Amino acid sequence: MSAEPMTLHVPLHRPSTLPANLRAGVAKQVLRLATRRVPVDVVLPDGDLLNDRGGVRTPDRPAIVLRHPEEFYRRLAENPKIGLGEAYTAGDWHPAEGTDLADALTPYAARLSGLVPGWMQRLRRLVDQPIPEDQRGAVEDSPENISAHYDLGNEMFAAFLDPSLSYSSALFDRARPVAEQDLEEAQLRKVHAALDLAGVGAGDDVLEIGTGWGTLAIEAARRGARVTTVTLSGEQAALARQRIEAAGYADRVQVLVRDYRHVVGTFDAVVSVEMIEAVGERYWPDYFGALSRLVRPGGAVALQAILMPHQRYLATRNSYGWIQKHIFPGGLIPSETVIMEQAGKVGLTVTRTDRFGADYAETLRRWRAAFLAAWPTIRSDTFDESFRRTWEFYLAYCEAGFRTDCIDVAQIRLERPSHP
């Protein structure tokens, strides 16, 4: 799971050209302007509204409370793409009583392109920060980037994931009310949809790029396939092996701690669920080249990928955001256009795309509820209150993005022709 769905852009001059107090003042005025365009009340510590001194909250409207307004403005001024989330972690703002965090963020996400005038948006390049060199997906950096997230501990993830330990979007049954559906059932539906898309059946040799905790490998083996699955997370690999052995498929599944670029051999099918977002744009040619090299002629690749609209991808591809800094170092979301272009360069053809972004919003909503409910058991010297607020914001922030189509998720079939 990797995303950078929405950012409150506060267009300022380069940080070095304006005093800190002036930058914060500009941030305050831009925020005041944005509040006029979004149906969310912004409440100051004295109870007044940011854009309506002496005004009162609108009934049934989401609201946020600025607990430390000046610190909030300062963080936005220092880095608009990162400051909003860091201010939440620091406790500078919070949803008002009765307002869900995702409900407060969703109206901003829905109006992202119109929060500030167009001429101000064109100044975003003055405050965008470039992606650090060690987060661009180099082989020597990838294990560290992956460990920064996935090696937080199996117990931490197990506290809020369903029993399948699936950490990607579930796929709910459209024919039944979502509220009545179990998350584990929906996750297994997602796994089998990906296996079906790749045409995985008995006797097939299957490569999985991105092991997770072994659920897809187990389900592929249950179909009678032979599976090689690779990950860069030592913690994930250890638990995946245990789960695969407990399921009785150790003879059919090989778990390797290995970069996908170092995999050898060919396979009838390749499946990769929400792995491409961690690759890094510089190495997308390597990724697709590996897919083409590893799948046999006539075989298929099934990718589950988080997507963003192509124009947004072009606008944000070289800038550094909160998700990259605090959640997924090295991550970048592609567009479907990019996937088609990269696939075409290595002889792969996109033949089917199944989108289900609303299902990701529901998955994230359930993860966040489970995470907060389990927090007393997660809390430790390692996972402190700042960690809780960071992850609460991360899950709500991404949920808002999927709710409003700022980002989407899809399963995509790539085919390699039987003959050149």
Side-chain angles (χ1 to χ4, degrees):
M1 163 71 209
S2 175
E4 186 69 45
M6 52 172 283
T7 303
L8 178 60
H9 295 291
V10 183
L12 307 175
H13 294 78
R14 292 189 183 278
S16 59
T17 64
L18 288 175
N21 62 339
L22 183 55
R23 294 200 310 271
V26 174
K28 178 179 179 179
Q29 294 308 313
V30 174
L31 180 63
R32 191 189 299 274
L33 177 63
T35 62
R36 297 174 183 170
R37 300 167 180 243
V38 179
V40 176
D41 290 333
V42 179
V43 184
L44 297 169
D46 61 5
D48 281 344
L49 303 184
L50 177 64
N51 197 43
D52 185 11
R53 301 298 293 185
V56 296
R57 284 187 55 185
T58 302
D60 301 323
R61 176 182 286 187
I64 64 173
V65 177
L66 299 188
R67 186 172 175 223
H68 303 127
E70 299 309 317
E71 284 297 300
F72 179 74
Y73 306 142
R74 179 185 63 78
R75 293 181 203 277
L76 281 185
E78 287 179 354
N79 193 316
K81 295 192 71 174
I82 294 173
L84 180 67
E86 291 189 343
Y88 188 79
T89 295
D92 295 339
W93 68 276
H94 59 83
E97 184 177 354
T99 295
D100 177 76
L101 179 57
D103 289 344
L105 294 172
T106 295
Y108 287 97
R111 296 161 178 79
L112 195 57
S113 61
L115 286 179
V116 294
W119 67 268
M120 283 188 170
Q121 292 185 38
R122 288 191 289 272
L123 297 179
R124 63 184 293 169
R125 62 184 177 82
L126 299 178
V127 294
D128 278 355
Q129 290 186 2
I131 300 170
E133 195 63 27
D134 64 357
Q135 291 198 21
R136 290 185 177 270
V139 175
E140 61 270 22
D141 296 322
S142 293
E144 182 178 344
N145 288 341
I146 293 295
S147 293
H149 190 89
Y150 292 101
D151 283 348
L152 289 171
N154 295 329
E155 295 80 4
M156 196 284 289
F157 285 98
F160 72 92
L161 297 179
D162 69 279
S164 76
L165 295 182
S166 294
Y167 188 42
S168 54
S169 181
L171 179 62
F172 294 91
D173 184 349
R174 299 286 192 280
R176 298 162 48 206
V178 170
E180 296 177 3
Q181 297 180 51
D182 178 73
L183 183 57
E184 182 180 17
E185 172 193 354
Q187 289 289 8
L188 292 175
R189 181 179 295 106
K190 174 270 304 294
V191 167
H192 285 284
L195 294 174
D196 289 345
L197 197 62
V200 173
D204 285 339
D205 291 316
V206 177
L207 172 66
E208 181 188 19
I209 299 177
T211 304
W213 285 277
T215 294
L216 188 142
I218 290 170
E219 295 305 314
R222 201 184 305 279
R223 293 183 174 207
R226 296 176 295 272
V227 184
T228 300
T229 180
V230 297
T231 178
L232 291 177
S233 170
E235 286 221 15
Q236 281 192 326
L239 183 53
R241 291 189 186 108
Q242 293 176 23
R243 297 181 74 230
I244 290 163
E245 183 173 1
Y249 295 113
D251 60 330
R252 288 186 170 274
V253 181
Q254 181 182 30
V255 180
L256 302 176
V257 179
R258 183 173 300 175
D259 192 289
Y260 69 90
R261 287 164 279 201
H262 300 158
V263 176
V264 297
T266 58
F267 302 83
D268 298 301
V270 179
V271 183
S272 187
V273 175
E274 294 184 28
M275 164 68 187
I276 186 174
E277 304 88 349
V279 167
E281 183 182 38
R282 181 187 296 175
Y283 292 93
W284 285 344
D286 288 357
Y287 181 73
F288 284 92
L291 296 178
S292 181
R293 170 176 59 83
L294 292 165
V295 69
R296 292 172 183 153
V301 177
L303 300 182
Q304 181 165 314
I306 298 171
L307 303 171
M308 68 167 65
H310 191 61
Q311 288 305 118
R312 183 167 299 282
Y313 154 75
L314 292 174
T316 62
R317 57 195 283 261
N318 291 316
S319 61
Y320 188 46
W322 181 86
I323 288 278
Q324 292 161 312
K325 180 176 180 181
H326 292 285
I327 304 296
F328 287 105
L332 180 64
I333 298 172
S335 66
E336 186 177 4
T337 299
V338 165
I339 290 176
M340 295 176 69
E341 290 174 350
Q342 293 288 339
K345 290 176 182 177
V346 295
L348 297 172
T349 302
V350 174
T351 60
R352 179 171 169 178
T353 301
D354 298 326
R355 293 173 176 263
F356 51 107
D359 291 19
Y360 220 148
E362 175 65 13
T363 302
L364 284 155
R365 187 191 68 78
R366 296 193 188 196
W367 283 348
R368 180 161 54 97
F371 176 81
L372 294 175
W375 177 248
T377 67
I378 297 171
R379 183 192 294 119
S380 67
D381 291 340
T382 302
F383 304 126
D384 59 10
E385 187 64 14
S386 292
F387 178 87
R388 182 194 67 78
R389 293 182 66 84
T390 296
W391 269 66
E392 181 185 14
F393 182 81
Y394 152 56
L395 295 170
Y397 177 78
C398 294
E399 180 185 339
F402 284 106
R403 282 188 187 183
T404 56
D405 297 326
C406 288
I407 47 177
D408 204 346
V409 66
Q411 289 188 347
I412 301 171
R413 178 179 166 95
L414 311 176
E415 295 183 10
R416 182 177 177 188
S418 300
H419 304 288

